[in-house]
Amino acid sequence: MSRPRIVIVGAGFAGYRTARTLSRLTRHQADITLLNPTDYFLYLPLLPQVAAGILEPRRVSVSLSGTLPHVRLVLGEADGIDLDGHTVHYTGPEGEEGTLPFDRLVLAAGSVNKLLPIPGVAEHAHGFRGLPEALYLRDHVTRQVELAAAADDRAECAARCTFVVVGAGYTGTEVAAHGAMYTDAQVRKHPMRTGMRPRWMLLDVAPRVMPEMDERLSRTAERVLRQRGVDVRMGTSVKEATHDGVVLTDGSTVDTRTLVWCVGVRPDPLVESLGLPMERGRLLVDPHLQVPGRPELFACGDVAAVPDLNQPGQYTPMTAQHAWRHGKVCAQNVAASLGIGERRAYRHRDMGFVVDLGGAKAAANPLGLPMSGPAAGAVTRGYHLAAMPGNRVRVAADWLLDAVLPRQAVQLGLVRSWSVPLESSSPEVARVPGGPERHGKAAGPAGQRPDGEETGNQPGGEPARNQPGGEPAKGQPGGESAKGQPGGEPAKNQPGGEPAKNQPGGEPAKGQPGAEPAKSRPGGEPAGSGSHGGRAKGGQSGSPRASGKPRRAVEAAGPRSAREGSGKPGRAPRASGAGSAGKRPTAPSGPSRSAGPPTDPGPEPPANQPPPGPDIAPGPVKRTDRRAAEGDS
């Protein structure tokens, strides 16, 4: 008799712990497969310390194969789930496709960046959800301070050393706190000739910093931020982002080259393609984390709306603490469905929260006891060491070295701005030039780069090639290869290539719902469907993925098919012109992300441009988004 097959989609807090607990409970009585785009589990709470140069990136990356020896790891992203056929279709990191059969399926795909329809944000801001974004922010902040120190013009110096963070939740508060310390240390060693100092701003429409926490902890965090010179503005957000700065909702303008977007997260839209009952973008489950009417389907983490038994009528919030606990209970119930152990309902007890503010400062309320200062700092770091599933000694060693040695402030240039566009729903993998995500890439406005990086021959910038957004000519090195050429996009109707338009599984005709729009449309993208996986270009209520992964299946706008409505969406055809990379089919829901009427993006780039440099790739796809489910990492 064959062993039951268990497939887990996602290796975040919920997915990782589900796999680890199931491996221990089943004891080789089941085949466990973990599908994830990377080979590591990312400990997100310490990501701000990576951006600030305290921890090296591998310290917060726990090897999946090294810590889950009895779990089969498959690199890729799910882009179609056939519940009736009990299969998961996925696309690998190099464009290869595969199918995983299952007897039990656990959806733990996590969350993606939450975008708002604010003009210019998608082009000029960057998120903070993955290692590539943290490494980019570290390089970018270092470069801006160095360029500001060398500038003679006070206005340019002020703009380069002004850093704006939007979102005063856990992530945004920690980024601003650590960032202020990092730039102050740089300036102490290399003062600016103009006599100016770095300026950090933290914006949020909420009435106070970290409104999710106890008010006393919120006041502690705000006090530490103001002591470090952070300009904290509550009740204020960004009204418009431009190449030279941002316009705030209070009417003021701030000149800056850095805009960090930390407004929160929303569930991964993969679950929307299933056609099952949802709650604000999350899949409804029972207290046992099982989908009603689908005994083979479980969901946990940010994609699951889990009833809060301590507060009837409410659902557990989207936090890492809940996702970690979901994973354990989900694994126990999956094993119980196979006759191993007994089922149990998810019930939690609030253990408190910790926020690392850098140095010896922190805000914490373990077991409801409010703490601040060095004591809170010790509790916070002790909690993180205990919670990490690996690398504890290395993390502690980095903390010790940071306390006794000066921090290294160098820019490695490993991650460019176009590699981590804000609209990417796969922040864990950076966009790669010439990779499978090349389809439908749209350039940004001429002479502009994301988050205000200048083009042309500016120091530290990326040279433009007379293309909108610095996109090189097709067929040139570093650009989008000519179709049918070696290394480029395969010719249509060729093996492995893009299917012919209007053919089954192919790209719909231009001008049709879900199709590629006319060239005069902004960024050359359609208003597709979809809603922290199914992605469609300009997807609705969801941000398309734009990382270095193959694009997910895309569904045309309009009603769901009868097959999808029956809970068996299957795998939708992958649209070649979508601006996302490697995500999932979604059901059309919500309005289009496009803000305002289409504008002319300018003339189409000539096809015979001189070869660009090897580090140039098309600019990010312009996207906006509408608010979906609330949540903050």
Side-chain angles (χ1 to χ4, degrees):
M1 182 176 179
S2 61
R3 296 188 297 180
R5 299 161 299 183
I6 304 172
V7 174
I8 303 170
V9 178
F13 280 90
Y16 178 86
R17 195 171 193 195
T18 299
R20 193 174 72 171
T21 307
L22 264 175
S23 177
R24 176 178 55 84
L25 292 176
T26 58
R27 298 183 183 276
H28 308 288
Q29 299 179 46
D31 292 329
I32 304 172
T33 300
L34 180 60
L35 178 64
N36 197 58
T38 63
D39 64 348
Y40 60 83
F41 159 75
L42 177 63
Y43 190 75
L44 273 170
L46 293 182
L47 203 58
Q49 297 192 24
V50 174
I54 298 174
L55 297 176
E56 290 302 311
R58 286 183 296 176
R59 305 297 185 257
V60 299
S61 309
V62 179
S63 170
L64 295 177
S65 57
T67 56
L68 302 173
H70 303 299
V71 175
R72 176 193 174 204
L73 172 63
V74 176
L75 293 179
E77 281 198 84
D79 54 20
I81 299 175
D82 184 351
L83 292 178
D84 294 336
H86 283 210
T87 57
V88 175
H89 183 275
Y90 69 92
T91 305
E94 296 182 353
E96 69 279 12
E97 298 183 357
T99 301
L100 297 174
F102 65 84
D103 298 305
R104 298 291 185 274
L105 176 63
V106 178
L107 292 178
S111 54
V112 298
N113 289 317
K114 180 171 63 179
L115 299 180
L116 301 177
I118 300 175
V121 166
E123 295 86 351
H124 303 288
H126 283 280
F128 199 79
R129 290 285 299 163
L131 271 181
E133 291 173 321
L135 293 176
Y136 167 75
L137 182 61
R138 177 177 173 180
D139 275 2
H140 175 76
V141 169
T142 304
R143 177 171 58 252
Q144 294 306 314
V145 173
E146 291 171 350
L147 293 176
D152 294 321
D153 181 64
R154 289 185 62 87
E156 179 186 357
C157 178
R160 290 194 178 279
C161 63
T162 298
F163 308 95
V164 179
V165 180
V166 184
Y170 301 112
T171 302
T173 300
E174 290 186 342
V175 168
H178 283 280
M181 291 187 65
Y182 181 61
T183 53
D184 285 345
Q186 282 186 268
V187 173
R188 280 196 295 270
K189 291 187 291 185
H190 303 286
M192 299 182 183
R193 288 189 288 179
T194 57
M196 303 188 70
R197 296 189 63 82
R199 175 192 182 194
W200 284 78
M201 296 182 64
L202 180 61
L203 313 175
D204 202 309
V205 294
R208 58 187 175 89
V209 174
M210 295 187 301
E212 308 92 345
M213 294 189 69
D214 182 87
E215 189 171 353
R216 289 172 291 183
L217 300 183
S218 177
R219 289 197 301 265
T220 297
E222 183 171 350
R223 182 175 66 251
V224 172
L225 291 171
R226 294 189 184 279
Q227 288 174 351
R228 292 181 183 166
V230 178
D231 185 359
V232 181
R233 299 192 185 184
M234 295 292 98
T236 306
S237 188
V238 173
K239 181 180 180 181
E240 180 182 1
T242 66
H243 170 62
D244 299 318
V246 294
V247 179
L248 305 184
T249 52
D250 60 7
S252 60
T253 300
V254 179
D255 294 334
T256 182
R257 300 290 188 271
T258 307
L259 180 59
V260 187
W261 192 255
C262 301
V263 297
V265 296
R266 58 188 176 81
D268 192 312
L270 168 66
V271 296
E272 292 190 358
S273 66
L274 301 177
L276 297 174
M278 309 287 292
E279 169 63 28
R280 301 187 67 187
R282 294 195 283 175
L283 188 62
L284 278 172
V285 298
D286 60 24
H288 300 93
L289 307 181
Q290 194 168 24
V291 177
R294 287 286 179 178
E296 78 283 2
L297 181 59
F298 296 79
C300 55
D302 290 349
V303 298
V306 182
D308 190 341
L309 299 182
N310 295 329
Q311 302 181 47
Q314 302 294 321
Y315 298 94
T316 59
M318 297 165 57
T319 64
Q321 185 179 117
H322 279 290
W324 187 251
R325 298 174 181 177
H326 286 174
K328 181 179 179 180
V329 175
C330 184
Q332 292 173 334
N333 291 335
V334 170
S337 71
L338 300 175
I340 305 172
E342 297 181 356
R343 291 206 314 167
R344 55 169 291 194
Y346 177 74
R347 187 183 297 272
H348 72 93
R349 178 190 175 197
D350 188 2
M351 303 295 292
F353 296 94
V354 295
V355 179
D356 188 353
L357 301 175
K361 301 295 181 67
N365 62 342
L367 301 177
L369 177 63
M371 302 178 66
S372 61
V379 169
T380 298
R381 295 201 168 183
Y383 168 80
H384 287 316
L385 284 180
M388 287 194 70
N391 296 345
R392 296 187 181 96
V393 175
R394 291 184 173 92
V395 169
D398 274 4
W399 283 341
L400 177 61
L401 292 175
D402 180 69
V404 299
L405 296 176
R407 202 173 300 178
Q408 292 179 303
V410 294
Q411 49 169 320
L412 302 179
L414 299 178
V415 181
R416 309 299 293 180
S417 61
W418 49 263
S419 299
V420 284
L422 179 61
E423 84 279 1
S424 172
S425 294
S426 294
E428 65 273 11
V429 179
R431 174 187 289 180
V432 178
E437 86 290 353
R438 70 170 60 85
H439 306 281
K441 287 185 282 193
Q448 297 181 9
R449 300 298 298 175
D451 97 350
E453 281 196 5
E454 292 150 345
T455 58
N457 296 319
Q458 299 296 330
E462 297 177 26
R465 288 290 183 265
N466 298 322
Q467 308 288 334
E471 179 178 335
K474 295 183 180 180
Q476 300 298 330
E480 181 178 306
S481 305
K483 296 181 180 180
Q485 299 300 322
E489 183 182 50
K492 293 181 174 63
N493 298 325
Q494 297 300 323
E498 180 184 61
K501 297 179 180 179
N502 294 326
Q503 298 301 322
E507 181 182 12
K510 295 182 180 180
Q512 299 301 323
E516 182 182 12
K519 294 292 182 181
S520 60
R521 293 287 296 275
E525 296 172 12
S529 63
S531 80
H532 184 289
R535 309 282 188 272
K537 333 182 230 188
Q540 299 163 2
S541 74
S543 69
R545 299 194 185 265
S547 65
K549 289 175 281 191
R551 153 178 354 283
R552 288 195 180 279
V554 181
E555 296 178 352
R560 288 192 179 113
S561 65
R563 181 183 182 186
E564 186 179 55
S566 64
K568 180 182 176 183
R571 180 165 59 94
R574 300 193 350 195
S576 62
S580 65
K583 269 297 177 181
R584 311 159 172 95
T586 61
S589 62
S592 169
R593 275 200 303 263
S594 301
T599 57
D600 188 359
E604 187 175 1
N608 55 350
Q609 291 295 323
D615 63 341
I616 305 304
V621 183
K622 295 192 291 185
R623 296 278 197 315
T624 54
D625 198 357
R626 293 191 181 276
R627 185 183 300 273
E630 301 293 334
D632 192 76
S633 59

